[in-house]
Amino acid sequence: MLKKFFLNFLSSFIGAWVALGLFCVAFIIVIVAIVGKIGISQADQSGSVKKNSVMTIDLSGVIVEREQPAEFDYIQALQGNIEAPMTLTSLTKSIREAADNKDIRMIYLKCGATEAGMATLRALRDELQTFKLSGKKIYAYGDAYSLPDYYVASVADSLFVNPDGVVAVNGMSGGTLYFKDLLDKLGIQIQIVKVGTFKSAVEPYISNQMSDPARAQLDTLYGNLWSQISQEICESRKIKKSVLNSLINKDYLQLQDGNFAVAHNLADKAVYERTMDARIADALGVDEEKVNFVDHNVVAMASPDVSFGKKKRIAVLYATGEIMEGSKTGINCEVLVPIITELADDDDVVGLVLRVNSPGGSVFGSEQIAEALAYFQSQDKPLAVSMGDYAASGGYWISCHANRIFADPMTITGSIGIFGMIPNIEGLVKKIGVTPQFISTNPEADFPSLLRPMTDAQLAAMQKMIEVGYDKFITRVATGRKMSKQKVEAIAEGRVWDGATAKKLGLVDQLGSLADACEWVKGQVKKDGKDNLEIEYLPQLEPSFWDIVRISATSDAKIALIKQTAEFVPEAAYAVEVANILRRRSLQARIVPIFFN
């Protein structure tokens, strides 16, 4: 109880000054939203599908897996970013609708600084490739292409760049923030017990630099991903990989203008954006004023979701984010387990696809979800897993017993290992003038304590518990994947793998999409004579108060937010990260998310 009190107190203490600084700004946003208009703005609702429509996709900003109820995000609010992110589900739905809708004649990609996982980008890219089979064209334009949006846009029939713009494709890089110095200044010591040479998720809290094993595995991972990405770009643009790498390494491609990109076939023409409407009209063979540009969200909303009664159906259950009990935006076993149990007991649900996009998290939460999935399978119903950007550590824990596992070649998976992370905040409580006093009936009554370092005996006991947990993880993977423990141990140690390599190692059954996983489950069910199955997507979404605020706020409110809060961003980011550290359970199966440039 005392431990929980101090965790809650310190989390609140660290974030308190951030919350106070934001209160007035948040209040302004709410007032503007209410006075303005509740619901989606006119700009978002503008346009409808009619003759000679062109569906526009704005490839800028964040793309997430699926809509989720949003919690108030300190960092996004401080940056003035309160827009709801684009989702892969909405994008793919709109692209499929555009392919089938006779009034939509083209897709127009407006590119610039997309942020998304590589598996998400590849799924979007594949959907656009399929769209082209309809005989309709894709045009793409960008003032400055980053690698993520250029990777997607390279499928376009015609790719345009601003003459003064740039194709900033320069290979792959990424990194992790290290917090040891910050924690030292706060008086917080993170005590670590772990198993796995490559289990590097703990490093940012106990070191200021990346270890050799962590660097080695990421070097291999980046190399494999870049090989796949560059190959697909070169196939679409009809250039050699050696030429692309030479442009990057020798010519500093990211410093060259749009005309250079055109000269080397990375773009088709260097033009100014103001000319694009006329070019699109010309391609459609109509006058410019007759072209109807419509946002992809409008197209997605035009195709309503299926309403289910007592129909035989397959459930697609999304498990997205960090595995953390009590979380509203991540994977919360307290929410997911009842859903899985209900699906298992529902005779009209004949199969399940678990869509996993998670770097892992709580070992306890992972095991609760895994047990519920085992119960689902015990009802003689097929279970497939479809992996997104991540299905690593705890994300792999909940996946490995599926009847069939699908992954994207650029999924990051594996990381079979666990660790314990126990904060010692003795230095912090002294800094803030708190002097705790204890009375205990037994020497270990308050173990593990947040207020003093662990003894050697306590560390040894924790290490033993971690090793037992690691053996349980290894055994679980060996049983689920029908491999020997020795074979699993050889590819475990916390090491991450790309999806293509994971398939070769036996951690994945098939390279494929969410749609492929659904088709596989349908195939298993149809053997029992059940046809005409519908797909139900879960969990059902209920918008939070913050969702309403960020949808409703006018542009003026967002600009005011940016002006008033920009100076607080760095300090707030660090404070919130420390608060997150203190909130997590001590036993974790998690990787540090990898950010690509």
Side-chain angles (χ1 to χ4, degrees):
M1 184 67 71
L2 186 62
K3 174 184 176 181
K4 185 175 182 180
F5 166 77
F6 271 105
L7 277 175
N8 291 336
F9 170 75
L10 287 166
S11 293
S12 300
F13 178 82
I14 290 169
W17 66 272
V18 181
L20 288 171
L22 284 171
F23 178 81
C24 293
V25 178
F27 183 76
I28 290 171
I29 296 173
V30 175
I31 294 300
V32 172
I34 294 172
V35 174
K37 44 190 177 292
I38 300 299
I40 300 173
S41 66
Q42 290 296 324
D44 293 332
Q45 290 281 25
S46 65
S48 60
V49 178
K50 54 188 178 182
K51 189 176 180 181
N52 292 321
S53 288
V54 173
M55 187 177 81
T56 60
I57 297 177
D58 187 358
L59 283 182
S60 61
V62 178
I63 304 174
V64 298
E65 178 79 26
R66 184 181 187 238
E67 297 89 345
Q68 283 190 315
E71 289 184 308
F72 181 77
D73 189 311
Y74 288 109
I75 307 308
Q76 287 191 3
L78 285 167
Q79 292 173 329
N81 178 16
I82 62 172
E83 299 284 354
M86 290 184 291
T87 67
L88 179 61
T89 53
S90 176
L91 287 166
T92 54
K93 183 180 179 181
S94 64
I95 293 169
R96 290 170 190 172
E97 175 66 21
D100 296 335
N101 193 315
K102 60 181 178 58
D103 290 326
I104 299 177
R105 299 183 59 189
M106 178 185 287
I107 288 178
Y108 177 33
L109 305 176
K110 301 178 74 173
C111 303
T114 300
E115 297 178 38
M118 297 312 300
T120 292
L121 294 169
R122 190 172 188 276
L124 176 58
R125 191 179 194 274
D126 285 350
E127 201 66 52
L128 290 168
Q129 291 272 39
T130 302
F131 170 84
K132 293 171 68 174
L133 298 177
S134 67
K136 302 176 183 181
K137 292 187 179 296
I138 300 173
Y139 271 26
Y141 174 86
D143 289 327
Y145 289 93
S146 63
L147 173 61
D149 45 72
Y150 184 79
Y151 171 60
V152 174
S154 62
V155 305
D157 297 281
S158 296
L159 193 151
F160 301 88
V161 62
N162 192 299
D164 303 308
V166 63
V167 175
V169 174
N170 55 345
M172 294 188 68
S173 66
T176 302
L177 297 175
Y178 283 70
F179 294 93
K180 183 178 183 302
D181 282 350
L182 172 63
L183 295 172
D184 287 346
K185 290 177 181 178
L186 292 172
I188 300 174
Q189 176 196 14
I190 304 296
Q191 301 163 109
I192 300 296
V193 286
K194 68 165 187 165
V195 178
T197 303
F198 297 94
K199 197 65 181 174
S200 57
V202 300
E203 289 184 3
Y205 311 115
I206 60 175
S207 177
N208 286 321
Q209 60 184 11
M210 193 178 293
S211 68
D212 290 339
R215 189 173 295 278
Q217 72 167 336
L218 290 179
D219 185 62
T220 299
L221 178 68
Y222 282 29
N224 290 344
L225 294 177
W226 173 242
S227 179
Q228 176 81 29
I229 292 167
S230 59
Q231 179 65 37
E232 293 182 18
I233 288 175
C234 290
E235 287 175 357
S236 293
R237 296 304 307 171
K238 296 181 174 55
I239 61 175
K240 294 181 179 179
K241 284 178 68 174
S242 59
V243 172
L244 177 60
N245 282 313
S246 178
L247 292 173
I248 293 169
N249 299 335
K250 296 181 179 179
D251 294 298
Y252 292 91
L253 178 59
Q254 70 270 34
L255 302 180
Q256 305 295 339
D257 65 15
N259 292 305
F260 182 91
V262 172
H264 293 85
N265 207 37
L266 294 175
D268 294 298
K269 190 166 290 188
V271 302
Y272 292 100
E273 184 177 10
R274 62 176 177 77
T275 70
M276 286 303 302
D277 288 4
R279 293 177 187 279
I280 290 170
D282 186 59
L284 298 180
V286 299
D287 293 335
E288 187 176 337
E289 61 271 14
K290 292 184 178 180
V291 179
N292 176 49
F293 291 94
V294 59
D295 186 81
H296 83 274
N297 282 311
V298 174
V299 177
M301 288 189 292
S303 177
D305 293 326
V306 177
S307 177
F308 297 99
K310 285 293 183 181
K311 296 180 179 179
K312 297 293 183 183
R313 62 192 186 276
I314 292 169
V316 174
L317 179 60
Y318 283 83
T320 303
E322 183 174 340
I323 302 172
M324 183 186 297
E325 296 90 280
S327 171
K328 294 181 181 179
T329 58
I331 302 172
N332 183 354
C333 63
E334 297 162 2
V335 173
L336 232 57
V337 167
I339 294 174
I340 296 169
T341 302
E342 185 177 343
L343 294 174
D345 294 336
D346 189 338
D347 293 336
D348 292 314
V349 175
V350 296
L352 173 63
V353 177
L354 183 69
R355 175 66 172 183
V356 180
N357 198 337
S358 172
S362 164
V363 169
F364 176 83
S366 300
E367 181 56 23
Q368 303 314 297
I369 295 167
E371 191 280 330
L373 291 169
Y375 173 66
F376 180 91
Q377 291 174 290
S378 74
Q379 304 306 298
D380 198 27
K381 298 179 181 183
L383 167 66
V385 162
S386 170
M387 296 178 169
D389 297 315
Y390 294 95
S393 207
Y396 193 75
W397 187 303
I398 66 178
S399 301
C400 63
H401 269 238
N403 300 107
R404 193 160 187 84
I405 299 176
F406 293 78
D408 187 272
M410 289 188 280
T411 294
I412 297 174
T413 188
S415 191
I416 302 167
I418 66 174
F419 63 89
M421 194 166 71
I422 303 92
N424 167 27
I425 59 173
E426 183 181 38
L428 176 57
V429 295
K430 288 180 180 178
K431 286 176 181 287
I432 62 176
V434 176
T435 305
Q437 298 289 294
F438 301 96
I439 297 174
S440 301
T441 59
N442 298 79
E444 305 296 342
D446 65 341
F447 170 68
S449 173
L450 298 179
L451 300 172
R452 51 180 171 267
M454 288 193 294
T455 65
D456 290 343
Q458 290 170 342
L459 280 168
M462 287 288 295
Q463 184 64 42
K464 183 176 181 180
M465 181 184 70
I466 294 296
E467 289 171 359
V468 169
Y470 180 65
D471 184 70
K472 183 178 181 179
F473 199 169
I474 293 289
T475 302
R476 176 172 179 75
V477 174
T479 304
R481 302 309 300 154
K482 298 179 174 57
M483 299 164 64
S484 69
K485 287 182 68 174
Q486 292 77 15
K487 186 173 181 181
V488 175
E489 286 169 347
I491 57 177
E493 290 281 334
R495 182 155 191 169
V496 296
W497 306 98
D498 60 276
T501 303
K503 181 179 181 299
K504 295 175 184 177
L505 296 173
L507 295 175
V508 166
D509 294 304
Q510 184 174 333
L511 297 180
S513 64
L514 174 59
D516 294 326
C518 291
E519 286 302 312
W520 182 85
V521 173
K522 281 184 179 180
Q524 300 303 300
V525 174
K526 284 183 179 180
K527 292 176 183 178
D528 297 328
K530 299 183 181 74
D531 295 319
N532 302 317
L533 297 170
E534 302 286 0
I535 304 293
E536 180 181 19
Y537 296 92
L538 298 167
Q540 294 179 352
L541 303 173
E542 296 181 4
S544 66
F545 175 73
W546 181 240
D547 285 318
I548 295 172
V549 169
R550 68 183 185 179
I551 290 172
S552 304
T554 64
S555 297
D556 289 342
K558 295 170 186 176
I559 292 170
L561 180 63
I562 294 170
K563 289 181 178 178
Q564 293 184 42
T565 61
E567 62 186 279
F568 299 110
V569 171
E571 293 83 358
Y574 301 144
V576 173
E577 176 61 27
V578 172
N580 287 336
I581 292 169
L582 295 175
R583 285 170 49 208
R584 291 190 179 110
R585 276 183 174 259
S586 58
L587 198 60
Q588 294 277 303
R590 181 173 53 86
I591 65 170
V592 176
I594 300 167
F595 302 100
F596 297 111
N597 296 324

